[in-house]
Amino acid sequence: MNSILEKDREIQIIDSIDVVVIGGGPAGVATAVTAGEQGMKTLIIEKNGFFGGANVAGYSGTIGGLYTSTENGNIEQIVYGFAGRFVDLLKEKKGIVEKVKFGHTALAPHDPFIWKETADQLIKNAHVKVLLHTSFVDVIMEENKITGIIIENKDGRSAIMGKIFIDATGDGDVAAKAGAPYVYGKDHVIQAMTMAFRMANVDWDKASKYSLEDIWQIVTEADTTGKYHLPRKHPFIFPLPRKDQAMMNCTAIIGENDQVLYPTKTNDLTYAEFAGREQIREYERFAKDYLEGFEDAYIIDTASQIGIRQGRTILGEYTLKNEDVVNAKKFDTAIAKSAWPIEIHGGSKGVKVVNLDDDFYEIPFEVMLPQKIEGMMTVGRCISAEHEALASARVVAQCFEEGLAAGYAAVLCIKENIMPKAVDVQKVRSFMIENGSKL
């Protein structure tokens, strides 16, 4: 017997909402807060018990994409808007370290608990309804328009009807269920997953002497001894707001014989979680043995889930092209700018970084509009972008700005009784500029 028939069930509709946001990462939080602050009846659902997505649950642990990139000269902040607002709140709580050097640019490591409580504060103040510990199950469609979603949690299975839906799941789960076309990376090859962790009792007075390039050379030397299993030769190690802590983005999770692992396959995720914890012990051992300042350090926690860089890419009305990124293309419909490098994590093939110096490219609104589907926008790492372009555009600051744009676009949809593809993007841009974005 290869299948069973699930019993017929009547699903209760528990709410009717203006703006429904599925996923509570940076993009989802920005979307929900923006729509809520503009008076929309807004709901955000999140599978975890807290907000943050891959930035907190997956513990990427930093806000990337805020700054310029240059080989010589000062690195300056160029992304503000919701990203700048969130960073300012973290600064008030002493929950962020600004301008930590990363190649030709910089990033901002943060405290995961302070990130969570900052998101809580914004969501509550915007009067957004929240369902945590809630999984998205399916869509309710009228022809090609999404009108509702089916969810499941401890209360059982139920339905939520809505006017505008925002897919902030990271993997494009909602858009895929609705029938939007999608791809996986380049020829089904996507970036490697990572299990990140934190170490405490680090003496940064000693450890701060190492550049990332120094650490990469030391890792390579240690790996050649045969005493360690260190598949990733380009780990990222950064200081955290707590002076004795380090954020350790070190591991590279790939399948046996370089098999690609997909975050949309449960068996692959399960394998990745086990492999990630095994690798963490190896990188802890390496750090204690080889890096000054880490001799007495120890693991204090790991990410609560495997870190995912890439899943489904939902094909949009426009696809951000690799040449758009490297040629610093500007758009009349831009909703975010970025100078973050093309940063591709290829598992056993290592990390490839292409710097985007002394200029920036822009991300147009149309990458958030799924083909063939109405009533929905996508935000975050599932926006429409070619493989290398996404390796730059997927980072946190740009996700925040996409959420700001999608949140206000949803407001316009409801006020003007239109669908997202009919939104006047110049109205979105004007709102974003009024709210701090420097477009």
Side-chain angles (χ1 to χ4, degrees):
M1 187 174 185
N2 296 321
S3 64
I4 62 169
L5 180 66
E6 186 179 13
K7 66 179 181 181
D8 293 335
R9 65 174 78 190
E10 183 174 309
I11 298 176
Q12 181 182 6
I13 298 173
I14 61 171
D15 215 338
S16 181
I17 299 291
D18 290 332
V19 182
V20 182
V21 182
I22 305 96
V29 168
T31 304
V33 170
T34 302
E37 288 180 339
Q38 295 301 304
M40 297 297 106
K41 186 179 180 183
T42 304
L43 169 71
I44 185 169
I45 72 168
E46 166 57 40
K47 65 180 180 179
N48 293 310
F50 53 87
F51 298 113
N55 199 223
V56 174
Y59 203 43
S60 64
T62 68
I63 297 179
L66 290 168
Y67 304 109
T68 55
S69 177
T70 181
E71 193 168 8
N72 300 297
N74 293 327
I75 295 171
E76 299 178 350
Q77 186 171 340
I78 56 169
V79 179
Y80 291 88
F82 197 95
R85 177 183 178 186
F86 202 93
V87 167
D88 287 344
L89 289 171
L90 293 176
K91 284 162 60 176
E92 289 175 12
K93 300 171 182 287
K94 302 188 186 309
I96 195 166
V97 183
E98 295 185 273
K99 283 192 181 180
V100 173
K101 189 170 174 55
F102 179 80
H104 293 189
T105 185
L107 42 67
H110 59 75
D111 181 284
F113 176 76
I114 295 176
W115 204 111
K116 293 175 191 175
E117 69 174 2
T118 300
D120 287 351
Q121 171 191 335
L122 287 166
I123 289 286
K124 286 182 178 179
N125 290 346
H127 305 291
V128 174
K129 291 189 171 186
V130 179
L131 287 174
L132 300 177
H133 299 288
T134 298
S135 296
F136 162 76
V137 175
D138 209 342
V139 292
I140 302 168
M141 304 289 292
E142 291 182 1
E143 296 182 342
N144 70 331
K145 179 185 176 184
I146 180 171
T147 59
I149 59 171
I150 296 171
I151 61 170
E152 188 153 20
N153 52 29
K154 290 291 187 179
D155 300 319
R157 191 171 289 213
S158 55
I160 296 169
M161 309 307 291
K163 296 177 181 176
I164 298 295
F165 294 81
I166 311 296
D167 185 338
T169 61
D171 292 321
D173 293 335
V174 186
K177 282 278 190 180
Y182 61 87
V183 297
Y184 284 101
K186 180 183 287 184
D187 300 325
H188 286 267
V189 176
I190 61 175
Q191 294 198 61
M193 302 184 213
T194 290
M195 176 65 78
F197 60 107
R198 287 190 296 170
M199 294 187 72
N201 204 33
V202 176
D203 185 344
W204 276 107
D205 289 337
K206 296 179 179 178
S208 61
K209 74 176 187 178
Y210 297 112
S211 67
L212 285 179
E213 291 78 10
D214 292 334
I215 294 173
W216 297 347
Q217 182 178 347
I218 296 169
V219 169
T220 301
E221 292 171 358
D223 189 62
T224 60
T225 66
K227 297 179 180 178
Y228 309 87
H229 175 55
L230 304 173
R232 178 170 160 188
K233 306 304 186 293
H234 299 81
F236 302 152
I237 299 176
F238 302 117
L240 285 166
R242 286 285 301 271
K243 301 300 183 185
D244 68 334
Q245 292 184 3
M247 195 278 284
M248 311 288 288
N249 186 329
C250 297
T251 66
I253 314 303
I254 54 176
E256 296 177 1
N257 301 316
D258 278 357
Q259 175 190 349
V260 177
L261 299 176
Y262 294 94
T264 52
K265 296 183 177 181
T266 302
N267 283 340
D268 287 0
L269 288 170
T270 302
Y271 175 92
E273 298 282 359
F274 275 86
R277 285 187 284 274
E278 290 171 2
Q279 283 191 31
I280 280 172
R281 280 298 186 192
E282 290 292 279
Y283 282 94
E284 177 201 33
R285 198 159 61 89
F286 152 77
K288 290 169 67 69
D289 289 349
Y290 275 84
L291 299 181
E292 291 184 32
F294 280 78
E295 296 89 346
D296 299 315
Y298 56 89
I299 295 170
I300 52 172
D301 65 1
T302 68
S304 59
Q305 66 180 47
I306 196 71
I308 299 167
R309 295 185 175 89
Q310 190 175 18
R312 297 185 190 93
T313 292
I314 304 300
L315 298 181
E317 293 295 297
Y318 182 83
T319 295
L320 185 69
K321 299 176 177 60
N322 299 336
E323 63 187 39
D324 296 339
V325 173
V326 298
N327 293 330
K329 185 170 181 177
K330 312 300 190 292
F331 294 87
D332 292 338
T333 56
I335 46 85
K337 60 177 65 171
S338 176
W340 188 257
I342 295 173
E343 175 203 350
I344 300 177
H345 293 251
S348 63
K349 297 179 182 178
V351 179
K352 177 183 178 182
V353 176
V354 178
N355 292 300
L356 308 175
D357 286 347
D358 304 319
D359 206 342
F360 61 86
Y361 68 93
E362 293 179 328
I363 300 172
F365 180 78
E366 293 84 355
V367 302
M368 304 191 300
L369 302 175
Q371 296 176 13
K372 300 184 179 181
I373 304 299
E374 295 292 348
M376 174 189 292
M377 288 173 274
T378 56
V379 291
R381 70 171 183 264
C382 62
I383 61 167
S384 188
E386 292 182 344
H387 180 62
E388 288 83 358
L390 185 67
S392 169
R394 65 181 174 81
V395 291
V396 175
Q398 286 64 45
C399 290
F400 275 136
E401 293 308 278
E402 292 158 17
L404 178 61
Y408 191 67
V411 172
L412 292 176
C413 287
I414 292 162
K415 287 185 175 180
E416 299 177 9
N417 193 28
I418 58 175
M419 290 290 100
K421 291 171 186 174
V423 164
D424 182 344
V425 183
Q426 298 312 314
K427 292 181 180 179
V428 175
R429 284 167 50 84
S430 294
F431 173 84
M432 294 180 72
I433 290 167
E434 290 169 5
N435 284 269
S437 297
K438 296 189 177 182
L439 299 175

